[in-house]
Amino acid sequence: STSEAASSLPQLLAQNEARLQTTLNNSFFSLLRKRGIDTERKRAAMRESLRVFSDAFQTHLFTRQATCRDDEYATAFGEHLREELGHNRLLSVSGSSVIAKDAALRGLSSWFCHQMLVLDNAEKAVVNLVLETGAYYVCTLSKPLFEGHEAQRFFDTHAEEDEHHKELSVALLRDLHPRVYGRLYGVLDTTWNMVDAMTQRLAYLIELDAKSS
């Protein structure tokens, strides 16, 4: 059962790595690995779709901060918020694309914001662990595809900072009760399911937009 799946931080981190490896084989990460974002049209579509999530992520960070009353968590969450502030604006978009209005992408992106209203602090740290683990690979794989492009700074910044933000989460998850790790295992799996669904939606929208050109 889920409650028996993890009883320690190393087990939780091992599951995080296992879910990462599975997700790296999905349609979006495969597109990045094959350097499939190879036209201006596709680069624009990727910027538009990533901006939807990046805008939601700013809301996610502010909501997490506003609902945290534990000093240890609030300090780490606050550091993360300050470092991420305004990063969404590094992705320039038209603001009027069909992608920006895509209901599925907007719904998937806002799920992460909603979790900041319903989860406890340790569970919020797990959501962050998953997001920063995935974001590191999104940005590292995207960097060569946007070399010399106006969006390059977005990917450069995140490729450098995401590992640090992941470690912030790991530090908050040390020395918890074994039963808590069992609960966090379930949160970790659900969050990876949502990241997988969201990134696959990104790939679908990028390819769909390219076909419609």
Side-chain angles (χ1 to χ4, degrees):
S1 73
T2 298
S3 60
E4 293 165 351
S7 58
S8 68
L9 182 55
Q11 285 176 302
L12 188 71
L13 295 178
Q15 178 64 2
N16 185 56
E17 184 61 28
R19 288 303 308 265
L20 165 67
Q21 294 307 322
T22 304
T23 306
L24 286 175
N25 288 315
N26 79 12
S27 54
F28 178 68
F29 286 101
S30 297
L31 190 64
L32 294 185
R33 270 203 317 279
K34 292 171 188 166
R35 300 198 167 204
I37 313 291
D38 52 3
T39 65
E40 277 309 310
R41 179 90 189 217
K42 284 187 179 181
R43 277 188 280 273
M46 182 161 163
R47 277 201 322 277
E48 294 277 355
S49 52
L50 275 181
R51 178 65 184 261
V52 173
F53 173 73
S54 293
D55 287 348
F57 189 61
Q58 293 286 308
T59 303
H60 161 105
L61 293 169
F62 279 110
T63 306
R64 184 178 68 181
Q65 201 64 29
T67 54
C68 184
R69 290 294 172 271
D70 180 301
D71 286 347
E72 183 186 359
Y73 284 94
T75 300
F77 290 164
E79 179 186 337
H80 187 194
L81 169 62
R82 286 188 295 277
E83 289 175 355
E84 294 273 6
L85 202 56
H87 279 188
N88 53 328
R89 292 196 298 273
L90 295 174
L91 289 166
S92 60
V93 291
S94 68
S96 60
S97 77
V98 173
I99 290 174
K101 298 179 179 72
D102 183 70
L105 180 58
R106 289 169 72 96
L108 288 162
S109 298
S110 24
W111 179 87
F112 298 95
C113 306
H114 180 246
Q115 299 316 296
M116 299 304 98
L117 294 170
V118 296
L119 299 182
D120 67 28
N121 287 321
E123 291 166 339
K124 289 175 184 179
V126 165
V127 172
N128 193 67
L129 171 68
V130 172
L131 284 174
E132 296 298 338
T133 301
Y136 173 80
Y137 284 91
V138 172
C139 294
T140 303
L141 290 168
S142 298
K143 272 176 69 173
L145 311 179
F146 285 83
E147 200 75 43
H149 194 277
E150 58 183 327
Q152 183 181 348
R153 194 168 148 230
F154 175 85
F155 297 109
D156 285 348
T157 301
H158 281 267
E160 289 163 13
E161 291 184 359
D162 288 339
E163 192 66 26
H164 166 60
H165 293 152
K166 177 183 168 184
E167 290 308 315
L168 279 177
S169 296
V170 173
L172 292 170
L173 294 169
R174 291 198 175 102
D175 304 320
L176 303 176
H177 192 282
R179 276 202 303 273
V180 174
Y181 289 116
R183 190 177 81 246
L184 297 180
Y185 188 103
V187 174
L188 182 113
D189 258 356
T190 301
T191 307
W192 272 113
N193 290 343
M194 295 303 289
V195 167
D196 186 36
M198 184 183 68
T199 50
Q200 289 198 56
R201 186 65 183 175
L202 295 181
Y204 171 79
L205 290 170
I206 292 164
E207 297 282 26
L208 185 69
D209 187 76
K211 284 176 191 158
S212 69
S213 58

